[in-house]
Amino acid sequence: MKKILLLNGPNLNRLGKREPEIYGHTTLQELETNLKEKAEEKGWQLLSAQSNHEGEMIDYIHEAEDEGVAGIILNPGAFTHYSYALRDGVASVSVPVIEVHISNIHQRENFRHHSVIAAETIGQIVGLGLHGYELALEAIIHYIKGRVQGDEN
């Protein structure tokens, strides 16, 4: 069974508690359980990790490639806007990555409008709430299947 890594960054362990008016009431564990079920329905295994530490997130990305993970769904949290180290970690692997944000980062504070990571990903999904993760799962599977068949579109 092919594997996909769901990697969430800083403060996402507080989902369901942190600013529910922006992020909702669903916990990270509930999100992970839901996505794991959806992945399994499609014949994929979803691995989940969360870290509040930049270096640990980079380690997860490197390990994903070393362990043969086929794709990564990444919500880098606040690291999105300034972590060149995380950007370089994404750039250092051949595993396709989709960046996800629960809120629309382009409608929030000015410092959130730019992602230093987006240019190293195959795509970005923002502002669709937790449904964005489901869309990212669909998109990464579609992309991987296309790559295997030689059609990346």
Side-chain angles (χ1 to χ4, degrees), residues 72-144:
I72 299 172
I73 298 168
L74 172 66
N75 184 337
F79 292 143
T80 300
H81 316 293
Y82 67 90
S83 178
Y84 294 104
L86 189 58
R87 176 240 175 254
D88 289 350
V90 171
S92 75
V93 298
S94 61
V95 178
V97 176
I98 293 183
E99 182 181 339
V100 176
H101 296 282
I102 298 166
S103 66
N104 185 340
I105 62 175
H106 307 290
Q107 291 181 334
R108 297 190 62 195
E109 303 92 338
N110 283 340
F111 75 90
R112 296 187 195 273
H113 294 182
H114 180 70
S115 168
V116 298
I117 295 167
E120 299 303 326
T121 68
I122 62 166
Q124 184 187 60
I125 298 172
V126 303
L128 300 177
L130 298 182
H131 183 61
Y133 284 93
E134 294 177 29
L135 295 172
L137 179 65
E138 291 281 337
I140 199 85
I141 290 170
H142 176 77
Y143 181 86
I144 294 164

Side-chain angles (χ1 to χ4, degrees), residues 27-45:
T27 67
L28 181 59
Q29 183 178 1
E30 291 168 337
L31 170 65
E32 290 172 346
T33 298
N34 179 47
L35 282 179
K36 284 180 183 182
E37 290 172 2
K38 292 190 180 311
E40 287 173 7
E41 289 170 7
K42 298 172 185 318
W44 293 73
Q45 181 182 5

